[in-house]
Amino acid sequence: MKHLKIASVALLMLVFSQAKSQNTEFEKPDQPAKCKSIRAGKFLRANYPEGIFYMTIKDNVQTEYFNNGKDYIKSTLVFIDDCNYKSIVLEKSDKNDPVQIGDVFNNKIVETQDNLVKIQSKIDSNQFEVIYIKEKNK
């Protein structure tokens, strides 16, 4: 059963992260990556409308919103160093979502450029990549 859950989570995240985010290129990545940019703010996914997905991070709490903000997954962030952190799922609104309370995602910021952040995320033996766009302060 655990393997089915892991496979479902990996498939869900792979579909969300790979389908459209690959169109966003890092032509001149920051050297070194500006990893602290993930610590606070509002983030979107490349080529996804805000109604499908957006994420906020504040005070080491990450909240991912789906379905026009009706559903969410809230996680606590534990930073290992500036570019590596764990996100531990604290609560979720959709009981059918394959992500479970207590799941731990190991994340590594691999590239940044301007307001783009590329993250490799791993849960158990499944790894995927996602690109976030940090919303600039208005």
Side-chain angles (χ1 to χ4, degrees):
M1 185 68 172
K2 183 176 181 175
H3 293 294
L4 179 61
K5 176 185 83 167
I6 292 168
S8 297
V9 168
L11 181 61
L12 177 68
M13 297 304 288
L14 183 65
V15 167
F16 274 123
S17 66
Q18 297 295 330
K20 295 184 180 179
S21 67
Q22 293 303 316
N23 296 334
T24 305
E25 304 253 346
F26 286 71
E27 294 174 8
K28 294 181 181 179
D30 298 319
Q31 296 295 331
K34 295 178 181 172
C35 296
K36 289 187 178 184
S37 68
I38 196 71
R39 295 207 179 217
K42 182 176 181 178
F43 300 84
L44 305 172
R45 287 225 180 119
N47 301 315
Y48 277 76
E50 189 173 326
I52 292 177
F53 174 90
Y54 73 94
M55 174 176 78
T56 61
I57 298 176
K58 182 178 180 183
D59 298 328
N60 291 333
V61 175
Q62 170 182 297
T63 308
E64 299 174 64
Y65 295 95
F66 310 92
N67 192 18
N68 287 315
K70 295 175 188 166
D71 293 313
Y72 68 90
I73 297 172
K74 185 178 285 189
S75 304
T76 187
L77 302 182
V78 179
F79 285 88
I80 310 306
D81 57 39
D82 285 343
C83 295
N84 293 281
Y85 64 97
K86 296 177 184 289
S87 52
I88 305 165
V89 178
L90 298 174
E91 59 184 83
K92 64 179 190 164
S93 63
D94 183 358
K95 303 299 181 210
N96 295 319
D97 192 299
V99 172
Q100 296 298 310
I101 294 172
D103 282 351
V104 178
F105 292 83
N106 293 292
N107 303 294
K108 179 179 183 176
I109 299 169
V110 292
E111 274 184 315
T112 62
Q113 179 182 313
D114 298 323
N115 63 332
L116 300 175
V117 181
K118 185 185 294 184
I119 296 176
Q120 286 179 348
S121 189
K122 185 175 183 181
I123 182 168
D124 296 321
S125 62
N126 299 299
Q127 183 171 306
F128 49 92
E129 200 169 82
V130 63
I131 297 173
Y132 294 115
I133 303 168
K134 185 173 185 176
E135 193 172 82
K136 295 186 179 186
N137 294 336
K138 296 177 182 178

